[in-house]
Amino acid sequence: MDSRLLAPVPQGWSFQQAAAVSAGFLTAFYALWDLARVRPGQRVLIHAGTGGVGTAAVQLAKAWGLEVFATASPAKQHALRAMGVEESHIASTRDLAFCERFLAVTGGEGMDVVLNALAGEFTDASLRLLPRGGQFVEMGKTDIRNPEQVAEAYPGVVYQAFDLMDAGEPRIAEMFAELGPMFEAGTLVPPPVTCFELSQAVAALRYLQAARQVGKVV
């Protein structure tokens, strides 16, 4: 293993918690800090805010002083409230009402940054939430758009699809070094974890496929 892709497990963590942190928090960090270049006071929409990357992104955005908006299925929205997301800043991933809801809440201004994990018409609705331009960071793999066509259709919108390993090993080592003290200080906490034994791999994948988890499945 390349040592730059490793970090010490903080004291008091289980191996399951440690396994649940790396990919989600590194992905959220890279998306928001490196690609979107977020600044305090900006509005950010985090889709699927109760997933592995979503729970990390909500925590990081709040730590960096952003105004957080998030979506989740109705059954999981309690987890967003528990993370301190305001009721008016929460909407469902099940329909497109989030677009009009968040435009209304922001007086038509919409977002500065969208961290997207949805597809199809949900992506279109999310792009409409950047009427003043802004950063659209796509971590999904099923509906990747052409950045030039997006910029033409939505003036001022910078569209970036990415993969965590685009960051490269040296940057991953730096991000790990920055995340460590944030966890030690309690600014960040590991996501909720649902554990399965290796012998239950089929059940674990079915659970994941049904999108029943909040946080990570280990």
Side-chain angles (χ1 to χ4, degrees), residues 141-177:
K141 305 285 187 238
T142 58
D143 183 19
I144 292 174
R145 308 288 175 96
N146 179 303
E148 283 92 22
Q149 289 174 347
V150 170
E152 204 172 305
Y154 303 92
V157 173
V158 178
Y159 178 96
Q160 300 177 84
F162 78 101
D163 184 83
L164 172 59
M165 294 313 294
D166 296 344
E169 285 85 348
R171 180 60 187 143
I172 285 175
E174 289 172 1
M175 290 190 290
F176 259 142

Side-chain angles (χ1 to χ4, degrees), residues 125-138:
S126 303
L127 284 162
R128 292 197 296 274
L129 275 168
L130 295 166
R132 300 168 298 140
Q135 302 287 331
F136 192 98
V137 187
E138 175 63 78

Side-chain angles (χ1 to χ4, degrees), residues 1-82:
M1 186 65 179
D2 188 316
S3 63
R4 294 171 296 181
L5 299 177
L6 300 174
V9 176
Q11 201 169 356
W13 284 20
S14 66
F15 284 120
Q16 290 90 336
Q17 285 177 306
V21 161
S22 306
F25 276 88
L26 288 169
T27 299
F29 195 113
Y30 183 62
L32 294 175
W33 191 262
D34 291 46
L35 298 181
R37 298 178 179 177
V38 293
R39 300 183 305 280
Q42 287 186 315
R43 294 192 192 107
V44 59
L45 170 57
I46 297 163
H47 277 309
T50 58
V53 177
T55 51
V58 168
Q59 290 187 57
L60 285 167
K62 291 183 78 65
W64 290 331
L66 279 74
E67 185 179 349
V68 177
F69 293 74
T71 61
S73 64
K76 299 180 188 177
Q77 289 176 5
H78 64 92
L80 294 175
R81 296 182 195 101

Side-chain angles (χ1 to χ4, degrees), residues 194-210 213 217-218:
T194 305
C195 292
F196 290 84
E197 295 292 332
L198 193 57
S199 61
Q200 300 172 292
V202 172
L205 286 165
R206 285 195 175 133
Y207 185 85
L208 200 61
Q209 188 178 36
Q213 85 283 0
V217 174
V218 175

Side-chain angles (χ1 to χ4, degrees), residues 72 187 215:
T187 308

